[in-house]
Structure formats: structure tokens, C-alpha cells
Amino acid sequence: REMGVRMALGAKPGDVVGLIMRQGLIQLAIGLVLGSGLAFLLAKGLKIILFQVSFMDPVVVGLTFAVLIVAALAATLIPAFRATRVDPMVALRYE
């Protein structure tokens, strides 16, 4: 409904998608930074039980980041495009 009100006040669909994507990607960046720091700390502790395996294998870390980025993009793009289809008049009537 908020996006419908924004569009009724003159926001373009691209502006709405950009707003939602920016919010989602900021959360993704924070999560990746905090998660990778925590994973690094935990991996150092698990190093003693890992046999012939690097605790920070770049391929595994890269693939994990890629999967998380794709999932976050899908999780923000789908609602963003759905929000652009909201009829502004319906949103204004609801408010």
C-alpha cells in the first residue's frame, strides 16, 4: 500500500523498484559482512578437526556468497515488481 501511495504522489515504477532494491541490498551487505566475520571466527575454531581441508576455501566462500546474492536479489526483485502493479487509486482509497 505504501508503494501505491508513493506512485499516486508521482513516483515512477523505476523509483519504487530502486527504493526496494536499495533497502534489500543494504541488508544483504550488512548480513554478508557480519556473517563472513562470524564464519571466519568459527572456522578458525573448527580448523583443528578439519583434516586436509582449508577452513577458508575461496571456491566455497565465493559460491556461498553467490548463492546468497542470487537469493537476496530474487527475494527483493519479486516484491518490488509486484509493488509496481498496485493501482494507486486503490491504495489511496484504503488510506
Side-chain angles (χ1 to χ4, degrees):
R1 287 177 238 131
E2 176 191 347
M3 297 306 146
V5 172
R6 286 179 185 266
M7 290 179 66
L9 294 174
K12 296 178 180 138
D15 297 334
V16 172
V17 170
L19 174 69
I20 294 172
M21 290 300 298
R22 189 171 31 258
Q23 291 174 351
L25 293 179
I26 288 171
Q27 291 177 2
L28 171 67
I30 292 169
L32 285 177
V33 169
L34 293 177
S36 60
L38 184 62
F40 182 73
L41 291 174
L42 291 176
K44 274 190 159 185
L46 294 174
K47 184 179 179 181
I48 58 174
I49 63 172
L50 295 174
F51 183 68
Q52 294 181 345
V53 178
S54 172
F55 71 95
M56 288 301 286
D57 186 14
V59 174
V60 173
V61 172
L63 285 174
T64 304
F65 272 37
V67 167
L68 289 173
I69 290 169
V70 168
L73 286 174
T76 54
L77 271 175
I78 293 169
F81 285 126
R82 189 177 296 158
T84 61
R85 293 189 308 225
V86 172
D87 184 21
M89 291 308 295
V90 172
L92 286 176
R93 276 190 222 123
Y94 183 78
E95 294 295 323

